[in-house]
C-alpha cells in the first residue's frame, strides 16, 4: 500500500498544507482508514496511541466540509477536556488551507455562558466532552441538524468513564443519515455494543495495535478429555495467577469445574447468566477486590465483567467461534501489564486451532502439560470481603469506613483494601491476616447506625 498522501483524493490545497506542516507520508492507520473514510463509510478504527488517528478523521471531516455554511457539520466526542483541546489544536492545523473555519471546544467544568455566546456566532466543527455536549443539545444551543460526521475518539476510554448512555443520547439527536467514526486504542467487547448502537454496517480496521503479540502470552495445551480437571489444576499450580477467569462452554461444565476447584481448596466462584443482579455485583466486587481469585463463567455470564487487570484467562474448553476466543483472551493483559491466556484443547480440535490462527493472523504457541511444575504457595486470596448494610443513600463515604477501620478497629492502612459503595450496601476488603481482628470488633461496632457482617 502506498503511503503518499497524494494518492488519496484530497484537495491540492490540503496536500500543500500537509507538506507545510511536515506530514510527508501517511502513518499505517491513516493509509488503511483514510480511503474508507473518504468513501463515507462508518468505521471502527483500532490503533495504538500516537499513531495519527486525529488526522485520519480530521482530513475526512475537512474533505466534505462546506466552509460557506456556518453550521455544525462535525462533532467530535472525547473523554477528557485535555484530549478535546489536543484534537481541536490538531484540527486547526489541518484546516489551515480552508478560510475561516470555526472550531469550538466545549467541555464541562467551565461556565455555560461563554459557550452559549460562542455557539450563537456559529461553528463548523465542535469538539467536546459528552456530558457538556449533551447539555447543549438538550438546551437547544447546539443544533445538530446539519451534522454529517460524528466522531467518537478514544472509544475505550469514553466507555471506561461511563459515557455510554450519554453518547447514545447525543447520537440519537443527530441526523440518522451521517457518517459515524469510532476510534479506539483497545477493543473491549463493549466497543462492539456501542458500534451497533450508533453506526451502520461499520467496517473494522486495525493497524499498529497493541494487541496479542506484545501484551498477551498465549499458550495451548493438548489434553485428553478425562484429564482436563487435572490439567487445569496443574496450570493453576504452576502459574499461580492472582486473578483468573476460566471459560467453559456450558453452565453444567462451569458448575463441575467450580466444584472441582473448591474441592482442591481454591476460592472459586461460578458466574451464571441467570444470577440475580445483587449476587453478580457481589461476585464482581469480591473478584475485583481480590477476595475471590477465580471466576468460572460461560461467555454469556461473563458479560459486563470489566476489570482493570486480569492476570490470566484460561479456556477450559475452546470456544467453537474463533472470534469469541479472541474476545475471551483480550480480557487479560490490560493496563499495560502482560496478560496470560492458557487454553486446553483436545486432539480432535486441531481444526479450531487453525481457525484461531487465521483469525489472529499468527500461529499459536504450543506447550506441554509435562513442562508444568507446581510451585509452593497459598491458595487463599489475599483479602476477605465484609459488607455494611448501608450505602450512598445513607451518605456513607469511603473515607469514613477507612477512618473507622484504621481508628476504632485499629487496622493498619495497608490492611484495608478496596472500598466499594453502592446505593444501599457497601463492601470493604480487609487483609486476610487482619480479618479476625475485625470480626472481634463486629458485634459492638456501628457506622452511622449501620452494621458490618462477613459475606
Ligand atoms: P492518536 O490519536 O492515534 O493517539 P495523534 O493523532 O494524536 O495520535 O497523532 C500523534 C502525533 O503524530 C501528533 O503529533 C501528530 O501531529 C503526528 N502525526 C499524525 N499524522 C502524521 C503524519 N502523517 N506524519 C507525521 N506526523 C503525523
Ligand atoms: Mg487520539
Amino acid at each position: 500500500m502506498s503511503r503518499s498522501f497524494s494518492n488519496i483524493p484530497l484537495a491540492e490545497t490540503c496536500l500543500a498544507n500537509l507538506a507545510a506542516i511536515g506530514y510527508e507520508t501517511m502513518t499505517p492507520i491513516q493509509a488503511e482508514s483514510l480511503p474508507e473514510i473518504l468513501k463515507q463509510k462508518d468505521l471502527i478504527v483500532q490503533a495504538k496511541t500516537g499513531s495519527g488517528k486525529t488526522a485520519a478523521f480530521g482530513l475526512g471531516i475537512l474533505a466534505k466540509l462546506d466552509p460557506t455554511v456556518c453550521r455544525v457539520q462535525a462533532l467530535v466526542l472525547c473523554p477528557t477536556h485535555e484530549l478535546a483541546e489536543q484534537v481541536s489544536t490538531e484540527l486547526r492545523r489541518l484546516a489551515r488551507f480552508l478560510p475561516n473555519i470555526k472550531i469550538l471546544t466545549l467541555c464541562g467544568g467551565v461556565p455555560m455562558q461563554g459557550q452559549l455566546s460562542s455557539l450563537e456566532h456559529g461553528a463548523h466543527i465542535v469538539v467536546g466532552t459528552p456530558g457538556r455536549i449533551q447539555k447543549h443539545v438538550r438546551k437547544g444551543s447546539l443544533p445538530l441538524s446539519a451534522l454529517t460526521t460524528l466522531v467518537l475518539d478514544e472509544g475505550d476510554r469514553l466507555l471506561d468513564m461511563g459515557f455510554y448512555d450519554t453518547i447514545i443520547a447525543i447520537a440519537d439527536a443527530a441526523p440518522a443519515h451521517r457518517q459515524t467514526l469510532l476510534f479506539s486504542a483497545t477493543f473491549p467487547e463493549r466497543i462492539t455494543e456501542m458500534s451497533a448502537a450508533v453506526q451502520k454496517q461499520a467496517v473494522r480496521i486495525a493497524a499498529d495495535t497493541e494487541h496479542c503479540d506484545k501484551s498477551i502470552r498465549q499458550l495451548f495445551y493438548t489434553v485428553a478429555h478425562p484429564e482436563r480437571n487435572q490439567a487445569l489444576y496443574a496450570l493453576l499450580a504452576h502459574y499461580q495467577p492472582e486473578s483468573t477467569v476460566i471459560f467453559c462452554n456450558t453452565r453444567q461444565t462451569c458448575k463441575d469445574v467450580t466444584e472441582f476447584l473448591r474441592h482442591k481448596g481454591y476460592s472459586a466462584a461460578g458466574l451464571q447468566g441467570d444470577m440475580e443482579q445483587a449476587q453478580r455485583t457481589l461476585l464482581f466486587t469480591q473478584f475485583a477486590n481480590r477476595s475471590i481469585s477465580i471466576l468460572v463463567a460461560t461467555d454469556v455470564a461473563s458479560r459486563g465483567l470489566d476489570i482493570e487487570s486480569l492476570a490470566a484467562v484460561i479456556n477450559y474448553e475452546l470456544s467453537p467461534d474463533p472470534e469469541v476466543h479472541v474476545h475471551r483472551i483480550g480480557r487479560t493483559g490490560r493496563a499495560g501489564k502482560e496478560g496470560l491466556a492458557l487454553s486446553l484443547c483436545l486432539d480432535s480440535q486441531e481444526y479450531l486451532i487453525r481457525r484461531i490462527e487465521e483469525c489472529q493472523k499468527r500461529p499459536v504457541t504450543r506447550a506441554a502439560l509435562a513442562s508444568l511444575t507446581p510451585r509452593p504457595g497459598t491458595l487463599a486470596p489475599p483479602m476477605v470481603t465484609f459488607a455494611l448494610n448501608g450505602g450512598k443513600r445513607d451518605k456513607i463515604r469511603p473515607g469514613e469506613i477507612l477512618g473507622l477501620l484504621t481508628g476504632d478497629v485499629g487496622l493498619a492502612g495497608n490492611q484495608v483494601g478496596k472500598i466499594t459503595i453502592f446505593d444501599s450496601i457497601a463492601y470493604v476488603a480487609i487483609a486476610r491476616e487482619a480479618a479476625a481482628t475485625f470480626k472481634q470488633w463486629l458485634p459492638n461496632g456501628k457506622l452511622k447506625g449501620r452494621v458490618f457482617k462477613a459475606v
Side-chain angles (χ1 to χ4, degrees):
M1 186 179 307
S2 162
R3 301 271 293 275
S4 165
F5 278 109
S6 56
N7 293 334
I8 304 283
L10 293 171
E12 284 302 326
T13 45
C14 178
L15 292 173
N17 180 52
L18 288 171
I21 62 175
Y23 288 17
E24 283 164 11
T25 53
M26 290 185 277
T27 65
I29 197 64
Q30 289 165 355
E32 297 264 0
S33 66
L34 247 179
E36 304 303 310
I37 291 176
L38 295 174
K39 284 182 204 150
Q40 305 311 314
K41 290 202 181 140
D42 280 4
L43 302 183
I44 305 176
V45 182
Q46 187 195 353
K48 69 180 178 215
T49 306
S51 53
K53 296 191 283 295
T54 320
F57 65 75
L59 291 170
I61 289 173
L62 295 169
K64 68 173 157 184
L65 196 82
D66 183 347
T68 64
V69 176
C70 195
R71 296 168 71 194
V72 178
Q73 298 169 49
L75 174 63
V76 183
L77 298 177
C78 303
T80 67
H81 190 163
E82 194 198 348
L83 288 164
E85 291 291 353
Q86 283 174 18
V87 167
S88 293
T89 307
E90 173 83 349
L91 290 180
R92 289 199 176 96
R93 250 153 50 97
L94 295 169
R96 274 196 217 146
F97 70 99
L98 291 170
N100 304 320
I101 295 298
K102 276 194 68 180
I103 301 173
L104 267 188
T105 316
L106 303 175
C107 298
V110 297
M112 289 285 280
Q113 196 47 53
Q115 298 183 345
L116 289 172
S117 45
S118 304
L119 279 165
E120 272 171 26
H121 290 102
H124 297 94
I125 303 173
V126 166
V127 183
T129 46
R132 182 54 63 97
I133 296 290
Q134 188 187 28
K135 211 164 166 187
H136 281 293
V137 170
R138 279 202 183 134
K139 250 177 117 65
S141 44
L142 175 56
L144 296 179
S145 53
L147 194 86
T148 53
T149 318
L150 174 64
V151 178
L152 309 178
D153 195 17
E154 309 251 358
D156 46 1
R157 291 183 63 190
L158 284 169
L159 290 175
D160 285 346
M161 294 180 68
F163 285 131
Y164 184 90
D165 292 337
T166 313
I167 288 165
I168 304 293
I170 296 169
D172 283 347
H177 183 72
R178 61 161 194 264
Q179 183 180 31
T180 308
L181 301 171
L182 171 50
F183 290 80
S184 195
T186 63
F187 196 80
E189 209 168 291
R190 285 170 66 226
I191 288 278
T192 321
E193 236 171 86
M194 181 154 76
S195 164
V198 301
Q199 297 188 294
K200 286 186 189 135
Q201 295 169 345
V203 179
R204 196 177 149 193
I205 292 180
D208 267 354
T209 58
E210 292 186 288
H211 226 66
C212 292
D213 286 356
K214 265 186 280 172
S215 54
I216 302 177
R217 195 165 147 226
Q218 188 177 196
L219 299 168
F220 286 75
Y221 295 84
T222 304
V223 63
H225 197 276
E227 267 125 48
R228 290 184 300 172
N229 279 355
Q230 283 314 317
L232 175 64
Y233 181 58
L235 288 175
L236 289 169
H238 178 87
Y239 290 103
Q240 301 196 348
E242 205 176 75
S243 55
T244 309
V245 173
I246 299 175
F247 283 103
C248 306
N249 293 343
T250 68
R251 292 170 47 177
Q252 189 54 50
T253 315
C254 281
K255 284 188 184 151
D256 295 345
V257 168
T258 309
E259 206 166 295
F260 166 76
L261 291 174
R262 288 227 181 110
H263 180 73
K264 285 286 190 185
Y266 282 102
S267 78
L271 197 56
Q272 267 98 51
D274 57 356
M275 236 170 204
E276 279 194 35
Q277 192 51 45
Q279 181 67 22
R280 274 173 75 82
T281 305
L282 172 60
L283 275 187
F284 283 5
T285 306
Q286 287 177 291
F287 190 63
N289 75 18
R290 307 198 298 150
S291 47
I292 287 181
S293 40
I294 301 175
L295 285 183
V296 188
T298 59
D299 295 293
V300 174
S302 71
R303 260 183 221 154
L305 174 66
D306 207 5
I307 24 189
E308 274 166 44
S309 69
L310 180 60
V313 165
I314 299 182
N315 291 304
Y316 183 82
E317 297 173 299
L318 286 179
S319 164
D321 181 344
E323 293 225 11
V324 171
H325 175 85
V326 173
H327 268 159
R328 283 181 178 181
I329 68 165
R331 289 198 153 103
T332 176
R334 286 193 197 158
K337 293 186 197 148
E338 190 193 49
L340 183 64
L342 308 169
S343 301
L344 297 179
C345 52
L346 306 172
D347 262 338
S348 59
Q349 288 179 323
E350 281 304 315
Y351 73 101
L352 266 182
I353 296 203
R354 275 194 299 279
R355 289 181 56 198
I356 289 170
E357 288 178 325
E358 277 165 30
C359 185
Q360 63 183 25
K361 299 193 176 62
R362 213 160 29 90
V364 306
T365 309
R366 317 263 185 164
L369 287 168
S371 68
L372 301 173
T373 41
R375 288 188 289 147
T378 161
L379 300 182
M383 312 300 278
V384 179
T385 299
F386 290 86
L388 176 72
N389 66 350
K392 285 185 192 151
R393 238 181 260 159
D394 311 279
K395 306 250 185 312
I396 303 282
R397 303 199 198 296
E400 292 169 325
I401 296 183
L402 182 64
L404 180 75
L405 292 170
T406 53
D408 242 29
V409 183
L411 302 185
N414 62 6
Q415 291 178 319
V416 182
K418 216 170 182 167
I419 296 172
T420 321
I421 302 187
F422 297 99
D423 269 352
S424 52
I425 193 160
Y427 297 108
V428 54
I430 291 181
R432 185 164 292 275
E433 79 268 6
T437 313
F438 187 48
K439 271 192 186 146
Q440 275 175 357
W441 177 88
L442 283 186
N444 325 311
K446 282 194 175 153
L447 178 63
K448 289 189 171 161
R450 302 282 159 180
V451 295
F452 290 90
K453 67 174 175 55
V455 299

